Amino acid sequence: ILNVEQSPQSLHVQEGDSTNFTCSFPSSNFYALHWYRWETAKSPEALFVMTLNGDEKKKGRISATLNTKEGYSYLYIKGSQPEDSATYLCARISNQFYFGTGTSLTVIP
Amino acid sequence: DTGVSQDPRHKITKRGQNVTFRCDPISEHNRLYWYRQTLGQGPEFLTYFQNEAQLEKSRLLSDRFSAERPKGSFSTLEIQRTEQGDSAMYLCASSSRDRDNSPLHFGNGTRLTVT
């Protein structure tokens, strides 16, 4: 089993604050890294698919970076809003998807 | 594209009973995955189909679990002789093989409670 670790496990921030969290994974046999957002009572939705070392992806106020050599990815949220409250999952893809345990974000109005 | 649908949304069963869940993937997706998620954990891989072929099954999965995708469309996951430890959210996801980096599209899950 390839361990994908996410930190912190949970996070509370004030509306308007910027925040970031980490996904760490084994760097060998790397194929791709995915980020998903999972809101309560909904299904997980894909945010980013990242494959190349040094990749940076952005969607609105959310961005992500990838370092495949050292085995980590950061997810950044600029100016957090209450609607950003969700669990953020990363998944390392080799022959299948290996998910981390997620970071639970709560944005306090 | 109606998305991935799972049925039922919730299932409460007594220990020892058999349960079956259904997943209908996005129609043009030929890859289908089953995951299990328990409190405080990320989704745990159970099994994976490409069309009707079951290509991989988690070693953590006991013989009480079986999955099928008979015509390469919908899939069923059956748990025999359920145990309290089987209580979890069972998620189905699909993706397109044509794009190897394509993300997973998840259903809303089936929440199983074994009493």
Side-chain angles (χ1 to χ4, degrees):
Chain A
I1 296 176
L2 301 175
N3 289 329
V4 177
E5 297 181 352
Q6 292 189 245
S7 63
Q9 192 170 21
S10 66
L11 195 54
H12 290 71
V13 300
Q14 291 291 137
E15 181 176 353
D17 287 351
S18 294
T19 187
N20 65 86
F21 11 100
T22 306
C23 173
S24 303
F25 51 87
S27 54
S28 59
N29 297 322
F30 176 87
Y31 189 72
L33 188 98
H34 294 192
W35 280 99
Y36 293 83
R37 175 169 59 200
W38 194 355
E39 296 179 67
T40 302
K42 296 185 178 180
S43 53
E45 290 184 337
L47 286 174
F48 303 116
V49 173
M50 309 177 78
T51 57
L52 299 176
N53 185 46
D55 252 356
E56 292 187 27
K57 296 282 179 92
K58 187 174 181 181
K59 185 183 292 187
R61 294 178 291 97
I62 304 176
S63 60
T65 61
L66 178 66
N67 184 322
T68 61
K69 293 185 178 179
E70 296 183 34
Y72 64 84
S73 176
Y74 293 138
L75 189 79
Y76 301 91
I77 302 178
K78 184 178 179 182
S80 303
Q81 299 297 308
E83 58 266 29
D84 296 329
S85 297
T87 295
Y88 291 83
L89 292 165
C90 69
R92 179 193 186 281
I93 291 81
S94 54
N95 58 321
Q96 53 155 297
F97 290 74
Y98 295 93
F99 282 88
T101 54
T103 292
S104 174
L105 173 67
T106 303
V107 181
I108 303 164
Chain B
D1 179 358
T2 57
V4 178
S5 63
Q6 291 187 245
D7 183 69
R9 291 291 302 272
H10 303 274
K11 178 71 176 179
I12 300 173
T13 192
K14 292 185 178 180
R15 188 175 53 188
Q17 297 296 304
N18 298 345
V19 294
T20 300
F21 311 141
R22 176 178 170 126
C23 171
D24 287 88
I26 293 171
S27 57
E28 62 267 26
H29 285 181
N30 49 19
R31 289 179 170 175
L32 186 147
Y33 302 79
W34 283 100
Y35 288 87
R36 174 172 63 189
Q37 195 248 352
T38 53
L39 194 63
Q41 301 297 316
E44 174 192 22
F45 171 77
L46 295 179
T47 190
Y48 150 53
F49 291 85
Q50 185 163 298
N51 299 313
E52 65 275 10
Q54 187 174 18
L55 296 188
E56 193 165 348
K57 184 175 175 180
S58 171
R59 287 191 294 270
L60 301 175
L61 216 56
S62 79
D63 291 341
R64 296 184 298 106
F65 287 71
S66 63
E68 294 183 340
R69 194 182 183 197
K71 297 181 180 179
S73 57
F74 73 92
S75 175
T76 57
L77 177 70
E78 181 183 16
I79 309 173
Q80 296 181 326
R81 304 181 304 281
T82 52
E83 301 173 357
Q84 287 187 321
D86 298 331
S87 297
M89 173 74 83
Y90 289 84
L91 291 165
C92 176
S94 68
S95 71
S96 169
R97 180 180 183 271
D98 292 336
R99 295 176 59 203
D100 280 339
N101 290 330
S102 59
L104 296 177
H105 295 256
F106 284 89
N108 285 323
T110 294
R111 181 167 293 284
L112 173 66
T113 302
V114 182
T115 61

Short mmCIF file of all heavy atoms in Angstrom, two decimals, chain A residues 37-66:
data_model
loop_
_atom_site.label_atom_id
_atom_site.label_comp_id
_atom_site.label_asym_id
_atom_site.label_seq_id
_atom_site.Cartn_x
_atom_site.Cartn_y
_atom_site.Cartn_z
N ARG A 37 -12.50 17.90 -4.00
CA ARG A 37 -13.21 18.59 -2.92
C ARG A 37 -14.47 17.80 -2.62
O ARG A 37 -15.24 17.46 -3.53
CB ARG A 37 -13.58 20.03 -3.31
CG ARG A 37 -14.43 20.75 -2.26
CD ARG A 37 -14.54 22.21 -2.54
NE ARG A 37 -15.13 22.48 -3.83
CZ ARG A 37 -14.98 23.63 -4.48
NH1 ARG A 37 -14.26 24.61 -3.94
NH2 ARG A 37 -15.54 23.80 -5.65
N TRP A 38 -14.70 17.54 -1.32
CA TRP A 38 -15.84 16.74 -0.91
C TRP A 38 -16.64 17.54 0.10
O TRP A 38 -16.28 17.66 1.26
CB TRP A 38 -15.36 15.42 -0.29
CG TRP A 38 -16.42 14.38 -0.12
CD1 TRP A 38 -17.76 14.51 -0.37
CD2 TRP A 38 -16.22 13.06 0.34
NE1 TRP A 38 -18.40 13.34 -0.11
CE2 TRP A 38 -17.49 12.42 0.33
CE3 TRP A 38 -15.11 12.34 0.76
CZ2 TRP A 38 -17.65 11.11 0.70
CZ3 TRP A 38 -15.29 11.02 1.14
CH2 TRP A 38 -16.56 10.42 1.11
N GLU A 39 -17.76 18.08 -0.38
CA GLU A 39 -18.65 18.83 0.49
C GLU A 39 -19.64 17.88 1.14
O GLU A 39 -20.01 16.86 0.55
CB GLU A 39 -19.41 19.89 -0.31
CG GLU A 39 -18.52 20.95 -0.91
CD GLU A 39 -19.32 21.95 -1.72
OE1 GLU A 39 -20.12 22.70 -1.14
OE2 GLU A 39 -19.15 21.96 -2.96
N THR A 40 -20.07 18.26 2.33
CA THR A 40 -21.01 17.44 3.08
C THR A 40 -22.26 17.17 2.25
O THR A 40 -22.79 18.08 1.60
CB THR A 40 -21.40 18.16 4.38
OG1 THR A 40 -20.22 18.42 5.13
CG2 THR A 40 -22.33 17.29 5.22
N ALA A 41 -22.72 15.92 2.26
CA ALA A 41 -23.94 15.48 1.57
C ALA A 41 -23.81 15.52 0.05
O ALA A 41 -24.82 15.38 -0.66
CB ALA A 41 -25.15 16.28 2.01
N LYS A 42 -22.61 15.71 -0.44
CA LYS A 42 -22.39 15.65 -1.89
C LYS A 42 -21.32 14.61 -2.19
O LYS A 42 -20.71 14.05 -1.29
CB LYS A 42 -21.96 17.02 -2.41
CG LYS A 42 -23.02 18.11 -2.26
CD LYS A 42 -22.54 19.39 -2.90
CE LYS A 42 -23.61 20.47 -2.79
NZ LYS A 42 -23.15 21.75 -3.41
N SER A 43 -21.08 14.38 -3.47
CA SER A 43 -20.01 13.46 -3.84
C SER A 43 -18.73 14.24 -4.11
O SER A 43 -18.77 15.42 -4.45
CB SER A 43 -20.42 12.66 -5.08
OG SER A 43 -20.81 13.52 -6.12
N PRO A 44 -17.57 13.59 -3.96
CA PRO A 44 -16.30 14.28 -4.24
C PRO A 44 -16.25 14.77 -5.68
O PRO A 44 -16.69 14.07 -6.60
CB PRO A 44 -15.25 13.20 -3.99
CG PRO A 44 -15.91 12.19 -3.10
CD PRO A 44 -17.35 12.20 -3.49
N GLU A 45 -15.72 15.97 -5.85
CA GLU A 45 -15.56 16.54 -7.19
C GLU A 45 -14.10 16.84 -7.47
O GLU A 45 -13.39 17.34 -6.60
CB GLU A 45 -16.36 17.84 -7.32
CG GLU A 45 -17.86 17.65 -7.32
CD GLU A 45 -18.58 18.96 -7.55
OE1 GLU A 45 -18.00 20.03 -7.29
OE2 GLU A 45 -19.75 18.91 -8.00
N ALA A 46 -13.67 16.56 -8.68
CA ALA A 46 -12.27 16.79 -9.04
C ALA A 46 -11.97 18.28 -9.13
O ALA A 46 -12.75 19.05 -9.68
CB ALA A 46 -11.96 16.12 -10.37
N LEU A 47 -10.85 18.66 -8.55
CA LEU A 47 -10.34 20.04 -8.66
C LEU A 47 -9.22 20.11 -9.69
O LEU A 47 -9.27 20.91 -10.62
CB LEU A 47 -9.81 20.53 -7.31
CG LEU A 47 -10.83 20.88 -6.24
CD1 LEU A 47 -10.10 21.19 -4.92
CD2 LEU A 47 -11.67 22.07 -6.65
N PHE A 48 -8.19 19.29 -9.50
CA PHE A 48 -7.02 19.36 -10.36
C PHE A 48 -6.50 17.95 -10.66
O PHE A 48 -6.57 17.06 -9.82
CB PHE A 48 -5.89 20.14 -9.69
CG PHE A 48 -6.25 21.55 -9.29
CD1 PHE A 48 -6.27 21.92 -7.97
CD2 PHE A 48 -6.55 22.50 -10.26
CE1 PHE A 48 -6.60 23.22 -7.59
CE2 PHE A 48 -6.88 23.80 -9.90
CZ PHE A 48 -6.91 24.15 -8.56
N VAL A 49 -5.96 17.81 -11.86
CA VAL A 49 -5.18 16.64 -12.25
C VAL A 49 -3.79 17.15 -12.60
O VAL A 49 -3.65 18.01 -13.47
CB VAL A 49 -5.80 15.93 -13.46
CG1 VAL A 49 -4.89 14.81 -13.95
CG2 VAL A 49 -7.19 15.39 -13.11
N MET A 50 -2.77 16.62 -11.92
CA MET A 50 -1.42 17.14 -12.09
C MET A 50 -0.49 15.98 -12.39
O MET A 50 -0.57 14.93 -11.74
CB MET A 50 -0.97 17.87 -10.82
CG MET A 50 -1.99 18.90 -10.35
SD MET A 50 -1.52 19.72 -8.84
CE MET A 50 -0.32 20.87 -9.47
N THR A 51 0.38 16.17 -13.38
CA THR A 51 1.25 15.06 -13.78
C THR A 51 2.73 15.41 -13.79
O THR A 51 3.55 14.53 -13.54
CB THR A 51 0.86 14.58 -15.20
OG1 THR A 51 0.95 15.70 -16.10
CG2 THR A 51 -0.54 14.01 -15.22
N LEU A 52 3.08 16.64 -14.09
CA LEU A 52 4.50 16.97 -14.30
C LEU A 52 5.09 17.66 -13.08
O LEU A 52 4.44 18.50 -12.44
CB LEU A 52 4.65 17.87 -15.51
CG LEU A 52 4.17 17.27 -16.83
CD1 LEU A 52 4.28 18.31 -17.94
CD2 LEU A 52 4.97 16.02 -17.18
N ASN A 53 6.34 17.34 -12.79
CA ASN A 53 7.05 18.02 -11.72
C ASN A 53 7.07 19.52 -12.00
O ASN A 53 7.37 19.94 -13.11
CB ASN A 53 8.48 17.49 -11.61
CG ASN A 53 9.22 18.08 -10.43
OD1 ASN A 53 8.69 18.16 -9.33
ND2 ASN A 53 10.45 18.52 -10.65
N GLY A 54 6.69 20.30 -11.00
CA GLY A 54 6.66 21.75 -11.18
C GLY A 54 5.32 22.27 -11.68
O GLY A 54 5.13 23.48 -11.81
N ASP A 55 4.38 21.35 -11.95
CA ASP A 55 3.04 21.76 -12.38
C ASP A 55 2.44 22.74 -11.39
O ASP A 55 2.57 22.58 -10.18
CB ASP A 55 2.11 20.53 -12.44
CG ASP A 55 1.79 20.12 -13.86
OD1 ASP A 55 2.22 20.82 -14.79
OD2 ASP A 55 1.10 19.11 -14.02
N GLU A 56 1.76 23.76 -11.92
CA GLU A 56 0.94 24.64 -11.12
C GLU A 56 -0.41 24.75 -11.81
O GLU A 56 -0.48 25.01 -13.00
CB GLU A 56 1.57 26.02 -10.97
CG GLU A 56 2.84 26.03 -10.14
CD GLU A 56 3.35 27.44 -9.86
OE1 GLU A 56 2.53 28.37 -9.83
OE2 GLU A 56 4.56 27.60 -9.66
N LYS A 57 -1.48 24.54 -11.05
CA LYS A 57 -2.82 24.65 -11.61
C LYS A 57 -3.60 25.66 -10.77
O LYS A 57 -3.36 25.80 -9.58
CB LYS A 57 -3.54 23.30 -11.58
CG LYS A 57 -2.89 22.21 -12.43
CD LYS A 57 -3.22 22.39 -13.87
CE LYS A 57 -2.56 21.33 -14.75
NZ LYS A 57 -3.38 20.17 -14.98
N LYS A 58 -4.55 26.34 -11.43
CA LYS A 58 -5.33 27.35 -10.73
C LYS A 58 -6.77 27.29 -11.21
O LYS A 58 -7.05 27.14 -12.40
CB LYS A 58 -4.75 28.74 -10.97
CG LYS A 58 -5.39 29.84 -10.15
CD LYS A 58 -4.67 31.16 -10.33
CE LYS A 58 -5.33 32.23 -9.46
NZ LYS A 58 -4.68 33.55 -9.63
N LYS A 59 -7.69 27.44 -10.25
CA LYS A 59 -9.11 27.52 -10.56
C LYS A 59 -9.72 28.54 -9.61
O LYS A 59 -9.96 28.26 -8.45
CB LYS A 59 -9.78 26.15 -10.40
CG LYS A 59 -11.23 26.10 -10.82
CD LYS A 59 -11.86 24.73 -10.56
CE LYS A 59 -11.28 23.66 -11.44
NZ LYS A 59 -11.99 22.36 -11.30
N GLY A 60 -9.90 29.75 -10.13
CA GLY A 60 -10.43 30.82 -9.27
C GLY A 60 -9.46 31.14 -8.15
O GLY A 60 -8.29 31.45 -8.40
N ARG A 61 -9.92 31.02 -6.91
CA ARG A 61 -9.08 31.36 -5.76
C ARG A 61 -8.26 30.16 -5.28
O ARG A 61 -7.50 30.27 -4.32
CB ARG A 61 -9.97 31.85 -4.62
CG ARG A 61 -10.69 33.17 -4.91
CD ARG A 61 -11.60 33.60 -3.77
NE ARG A 61 -12.75 32.72 -3.63
CZ ARG A 61 -12.82 31.72 -2.77
NH1 ARG A 61 -11.81 31.47 -1.93
NH2 ARG A 61 -13.90 30.96 -2.70
N ILE A 62 -8.42 29.03 -5.92
CA ILE A 62 -7.74 27.81 -5.49
C ILE A 62 -6.63 27.47 -6.48
O ILE A 62 -6.85 27.54 -7.70
CB ILE A 62 -8.71 26.63 -5.39
CG1 ILE A 62 -9.88 26.98 -4.45
CG2 ILE A 62 -8.00 25.38 -4.90
CD1 ILE A 62 -10.93 25.90 -4.36
N SER A 63 -5.47 27.14 -5.94
CA SER A 63 -4.35 26.74 -6.79
C SER A 63 -3.61 25.58 -6.14
O SER A 63 -3.78 25.31 -4.95
CB SER A 63 -3.40 27.92 -7.03
OG SER A 63 -2.87 28.39 -5.80
N ALA A 64 -2.82 24.89 -6.95
CA ALA A 64 -2.06 23.74 -6.44
C ALA A 64 -0.72 23.68 -7.14
O ALA A 64 -0.58 24.09 -8.30
CB ALA A 64 -2.84 22.46 -6.67
N THR A 65 0.27 23.16 -6.42
CA THR A 65 1.60 22.94 -6.99
C THR A 65 1.99 21.49 -6.77
O THR A 65 1.43 20.80 -5.90
CB THR A 65 2.64 23.86 -6.32
OG1 THR A 65 2.69 23.56 -4.92
CG2 THR A 65 2.30 25.32 -6.53
N LEU A 66 2.96 21.04 -7.56
CA LEU A 66 3.36 19.64 -7.50
C LEU A 66 4.87 19.52 -7.54
O LEU A 66 5.52 20.12 -8.42
CB LEU A 66 2.75 18.87 -8.67
CG LEU A 66 3.12 17.39 -8.78
CD1 LEU A 66 2.56 16.59 -7.61
CD2 LEU A 66 2.63 16.81 -10.11
#
